Amino acid sequence: MTKAPVFLIDDDADLRRSIDQALDLAGLATEGFARAEPVLDRITAGFGGVVITDIRMPGLDGLSLMTRIHDIDPDIPVILITGHGDVPLAVRAMREGAHDFIEKPFSGAQLASIAARALEYRKLVLDNRRLRAVAGQADDLEARLVGRSNAMIVLRRQIRTIGPSDADVLIVGETGTGKEVVARALHDMSARAARPFVAITCSALPETLIESELFGHEAGAFPGALRARSGKFDHARGGTILLDDIGAMPPDLQAKFLRVVEERVISPLGSNDTRELDVRFIATSRVPLEELVAEGRFRPDLLYRLNAVSLTVPPLRDRAADIPALFTQLLASAQARHSLTARRPNPAMLAQLSSLDWPGNVRELRNAAERHALGVAELDAPTADIGTGRLSDMMATHERKLLVDALIRHRGALKPVYESLGLSRKALYDKLTRHGIDKAQFQESPADE
């Protein structure tokens, strides 16, 4: 089995060779670097090793390197090598996330012992992530909600405060900002984490069956109801119910839902009996619900009931400084998902990305990272013109981008792609052939065509 690597960065070639020999004798796989910059091209969120770096180096110093590494994954251990006068600086760095530090002069055995413990720690972190993934849980909050802007720091602090409580929560944010990610984080931090998390998209429920879908029904409650059926609220007992896009809930249903929220009881269709409901409600909205109340489309009493605790997820344009780290993480995830060689975006590209508005927010940025990882399209400015030149060329470029976006959105399944684009199956195949697009690149598993 391949050993997890120890990346060693020090501009002193003699010291680097000495440390390399000591770590090699201890059975550790070491790779040396004279400068910090090349290391960043090798670091991903799934990196299984540790980094040992001198604090003072020309170019990118050890502390700046640590910050850049932790932008990618805050749980990658970084061990700092310090001179005598750098100890206060190293202590401060420990408070800011350094795993450990060692002061010169030191023995190779000392450093090998620290590195071995750091590798064990990193292995434990990755093992826990894999176990959480199997259990349907996500990584830690910093990895789920990337960003060091004040808005994201405040949001994470609010989630940590509210998550363990049993309070109902309203989450407001534009399309694609990550409202469901916030909702799942709240659930995972609560005592209900081991119970179901049931997401209900209010705008997607058929209006004629919405009550049956939510509350369940008894046999004979309406034509076609041949036997009793539990609703989604019942399935979530003991857990959390996410009501996505609650502003789309029909007004008559809002009144019934208000009673559920206030009394925690439900009555299936066709029944006069009530059943107690032990759930936590989290609702999301793309616009402030006060606007819908003013338009007469949402009940003010339901708003007041849900608005006791509210969170706002900021759009990307309000936290442009977070875009480089977020795109880097999304790109690393896309590369890992498609078993591609990890490659870090260059600073010029990250600067360009940060200057864009991203009206589709994180969802749009994720699609851009996916396209970049697959090499099927260059990164496009979301709010820019298609381009200049011949009309036919510009239309072809735009058509190809629409096809790639649809394939990414539907994970390579062709039926929803041609249906969403209003094409026949044959027309879609013709267009994919004409643009040289291979549908297999977008499939995580054989597509249901």
Side-chain angles (χ1 to χ4, degrees):
M1 187 173 65
T2 304
K3 294 179 180 178
V6 176
F7 287 172
L8 169 65
I9 307 101
D10 198 302
D11 59 326
D12 184 334
D14 291 334
L15 180 61
R16 201 167 60 244
R17 278 193 294 271
S18 173
I19 294 174
D20 181 79
Q21 290 173 1
L23 297 183
D24 184 63
L25 286 172
L28 304 181
T30 311
E31 188 170 351
F33 300 83
R35 295 168 48 252
E37 288 81 353
V39 174
L40 291 172
D41 294 330
R42 305 278 299 278
I43 297 292
T44 67
F47 175 66
V50 302
V51 176
I52 301 174
T53 179
D54 196 357
I55 282 188
R56 299 193 182 276
M57 294 183 296
L60 191 66
D61 62 57
L63 291 180
S64 299
L65 173 63
M66 181 184 77
T67 299
R68 296 277 292 276
I69 289 172
H70 286 169
D71 282 341
I72 299 170
D73 186 340
D75 289 321
I76 293 175
V78 177
I79 300 164
L80 300 172
I81 298 174
T82 73
H84 178 68
D86 294 327
V87 171
L89 187 60
V91 172
R92 192 193 81 192
M94 291 282 289
R95 290 197 295 267
E96 295 175 0
H99 185 80
D100 209 338
F101 75 95
I102 188 167
E103 184 184 0
K104 299 175 184 177
F106 54 85
S107 71
Q110 279 181 289
L111 184 57
S113 177
I114 293 172
R117 289 197 300 270
L119 285 168
E120 284 297 319
Y121 167 82
R122 182 59 177 165
K123 182 178 182 298
L124 182 62
V125 167
L126 295 179
D127 285 347
N128 284 339
R129 287 183 183 178
R130 281 189 285 270
L131 290 171
R132 287 185 172 190
V134 170
Q137 297 179 11
D139 290 338
D140 57 81
L141 200 52
E142 283 77 10
R144 301 190 211 195
L145 296 164
V146 174
R148 296 191 172 188
S149 61
N150 286 336
M152 293 306 291
I153 291 172
V154 169
L155 179 60
R156 289 195 295 266
R157 185 183 303 127
Q158 291 173 324
I159 292 171
R160 290 189 178 99
T161 301
I162 298 167
S165 75
D166 219 17
D168 296 332
V169 182
L170 173 64
I171 304 171
V172 181
E174 295 178 7
T175 297
T177 50
K179 297 185 293 295
E180 184 168 342
V181 176
V182 172
R184 287 184 179 275
L186 290 168
H187 171 73
D188 289 345
M189 290 186 173
S190 74
R192 300 178 180 272
R195 303 298 298 160
F197 178 90
V198 177
I200 301 168
T201 304
C202 296
S203 58
L205 288 170
E207 192 164 346
T208 55
L209 297 175
I210 190 168
E211 287 189 54
S212 171
E213 287 289 322
L214 297 183
F215 302 120
H217 63 255
E218 299 293 335
F222 53 86
L226 302 180
R227 53 182 174 273
R229 181 187 174 192
S230 296
K232 291 183 180 294
F233 284 1
D234 257 326
H235 289 306
R237 287 185 180 278
T240 302
I241 292 174
L242 169 64
L243 292 161
D244 189 33
D245 197 12
I246 195 171
M249 183 178 284
D252 57 336
L253 186 61
Q254 291 177 25
K256 297 179 180 178
F257 177 60
L258 175 63
R259 181 182 176 226
V260 174
V261 175
E262 289 181 333
E263 301 179 16
R264 289 302 198 271
V265 296
I266 58 170
S267 295
L269 285 180
S271 172
N272 294 321
D273 297 332
T274 60
R275 303 177 187 171
E276 290 189 4
L277 190 63
D278 175 23
V279 297
R280 180 188 198 179
F281 286 108
I282 299 178
T284 71
S285 178
R286 290 172 290 175
V287 298
L289 289 178
E290 290 84 355
E291 295 179 12
L292 301 184
V293 170
E295 296 169 6
R297 295 163 52 196
F298 200 81
R299 292 178 62 99
D301 48 0
L302 181 53
L303 167 62
Y304 300 146
R305 183 63 184 81
L306 292 172
N307 208 26
V309 178
S310 62
L311 299 175
T312 300
V313 187
L316 274 185
R317 64 178 175 276
D318 289 350
R319 55 185 191 104
D322 293 337
I323 290 176
L326 180 55
F327 181 81
T328 299
Q329 185 202 60
L330 294 171
L331 180 61
S333 297
Q335 290 165 341
R337 188 163 55 252
H338 296 289
S339 301
L340 300 170
T341 301
R343 52 194 178 98
R344 184 179 173 86
N346 63 59
M349 176 191 294
L350 294 175
Q352 179 196 6
L353 295 176
S354 301
S355 69
L356 304 177
D357 280 344
W358 300 104
N361 293 294
V362 178
R363 185 177 299 136
E364 186 175 12
L365 189 65
R366 179 180 291 108
N367 286 349
E370 190 92 4
R371 289 197 301 271
H372 186 63
L374 292 168
V376 294
E378 292 300 317
L379 290 169
D380 302 311
T383 55
D385 293 334
I386 297 170
T388 58
R390 296 175 58 203
L391 178 61
S392 59
D393 293 338
M394 289 190 288
M395 291 180 67
T397 299
H398 187 54
E399 183 178 75
R400 190 180 197 281
K401 181 179 182 298
L402 291 175
L403 291 169
V404 168
D405 283 344
L407 285 165
I408 290 172
R409 191 164 58 252
H410 298 294
R411 299 181 181 179
L414 296 188
K415 184 176 181 181
V417 170
Y418 63 69
E419 287 181 345
S420 66
L421 296 177
L423 300 172
S424 68
R425 183 187 183 93
K426 182 179 183 303
L428 177 60
Y429 271 105
D430 290 345
K431 290 180 183 295
L432 294 180
T433 301
R434 185 164 66 249
H435 290 290
I437 299 173
D438 180 7
K439 65 182 176 66
Q441 289 183 296
F442 304 87
Q443 295 171 343
E444 295 181 0
S445 58
D448 177 13
E449 298 177 11

